[in-house]
Amino acid sequence: MNTATTTLGPEDHLITRRWGLADLGFGLLALLGAGYATQRYAAHMDIYELVILWCCVPSVVLLGYLWTALRPFMLGCAAAALMAVQMYAGSAATAETHLLLKYFLSSQSAILWMCALFALATISYWTGLFAQGKTALWMGSLLTWSACVMGSIGLLVRWYESYLISPDVGHIPVSNLYEVFILFAVITAMFYLYYEGRYKTRSLGGFVSLVITAAVAFLLWYIAARSGHEIQPLVPALQSWWMKIHVPANFVGYGTFSLAAMVGFAYLVKENSHTRSTWKLAPLFILGVLLCAEPLVFRRSGLPDYWALYFGFSAAFVAAIIAMRRRIGAALPALEVLDDVMYRAIAVGFAFFTVATILGALWAAEAWGTYWQWDPKETWALIVWLNYAAWLHLRMMKGLRGQVAAYWSLIGLLITGFAFLGVNMFLSGLHSYGSL
């Protein structure tokens, strides 16, 4: 019997909820925070950045209203980051002598904690799925929230640390692969946690955590092989306020597309949980192995044994999921819920990816004098956009559902993964500053 419930959370009834004192109090705190940031850091911001800051206030307040769990999350991250800034006292060397900074709140310490917590969350979620234990699933959720807190603190503190090096070096931490992989992991996890609360089920955590763990594996490799955690000055092409809105919007798309793919994987496991013939699941296994094999392209950049081990373990884990599909499928929510989460995630990602593409075109017009140059990165961004536009069109016009939609979402992750990393590694162009 499927023990997961499809009951939707209170977020489905927000249209009837009135603003309360807690909502107004949070809004006031958001205004005070923006005022403090303006008063303290206005010298480091131009007029466009000030506009972005104050436009974020109503967005933050609305998000806190729509998802109340975000309010303590955002307040806690902001408080911890401000505490870390005060501990630094204007000197980067303080991180080596202050206990809390050295082991918890410096950007690198916080991000390493994030990696460890995401790994533990993955173990907890899968323990709960295999053993059908509610406590392990609850622990996985708690660890995921904790990882998001540490990742967010790490990014905020890294922002300040870049200015400690030099005001000319200071920049928002979304400029290289190390920083955007942290952003990707946090965004993907946060969107998952929203759907976890909305649908009152934690059984999808194991699937979504797989793609987050892959990002963590890349981060650890990037630190060891490329010293990617070191803060570097921005290349001229990235010295623009456009980066502050284009990159986050892009990674909301990447994160939600990845979430949809993992939910699609769960859908296929659930749909075929009672299939006796394993051969019918051969396409799923092949696709899973292809997704596991994508990181092997990093072999040319060093540490081949690391990625070979990653591939071997990941492929074996995919095989184990398929072999235990009946037990796992019983713990997953109904197919209708999986289908709905997949659709909502793609719809949100498509909206943000569309905005990001438009912002990228405007940025290109300012930087290079033209909106579109058929650069490899631009071309593959268009391919990603067309892929999900077709998925949504067939969903709304032809009622695309079931295994076809799920397989398509998984294939979409392969396309998105190549657009995100493959282009930077194998194709030269105007975006080559993001290469490995």
Side-chain angles (χ1 to χ4, degrees), residues 121-129 136-137 140-141 144 192 196 202 205-206:
T122 303
I123 294 170
S124 294
Y125 275 128
W126 281 105
T127 299
L129 270 178
L137 291 174
S141 182
T144 302
Y192 161 71
E196 181 181 270
R202 297 188 173 101

Side-chain angles (χ1 to χ4, degrees), residues 303-368:
L303 292 183
D305 293 340
Y306 179 89
W307 289 112
L309 180 64
Y310 171 89
F311 167 73
F313 178 80
S314 301
F317 197 77
V318 170
I321 292 171
I322 293 174
M324 298 187 67
R325 59 189 179 274
R326 178 168 297 186
R327 188 175 186 84
I328 295 171
L332 290 171
L335 292 173
E336 293 77 13
V337 171
L338 297 173
D339 184 80
D340 192 49
V341 173
M342 184 166 53
Y343 162 68
R344 289 173 183 269
I346 289 178
V348 170
F350 181 76
F352 275 90
F353 196 78
T354 300
V355 171
T357 303
I358 295 170
L359 292 172
L362 295 173
W363 186 3
E366 181 182 281
W368 301 317

Side-chain angles (χ1 to χ4, degrees), residues 411-431:
I411 294 170
L413 182 56
L414 282 173
I415 297 171
T416 303
F418 186 82
F420 177 24
L421 281 179
V423 171
N424 299 53
M425 296 183 64
F426 300 112
L427 303 175
S428 61
L430 293 171
H431 294 78

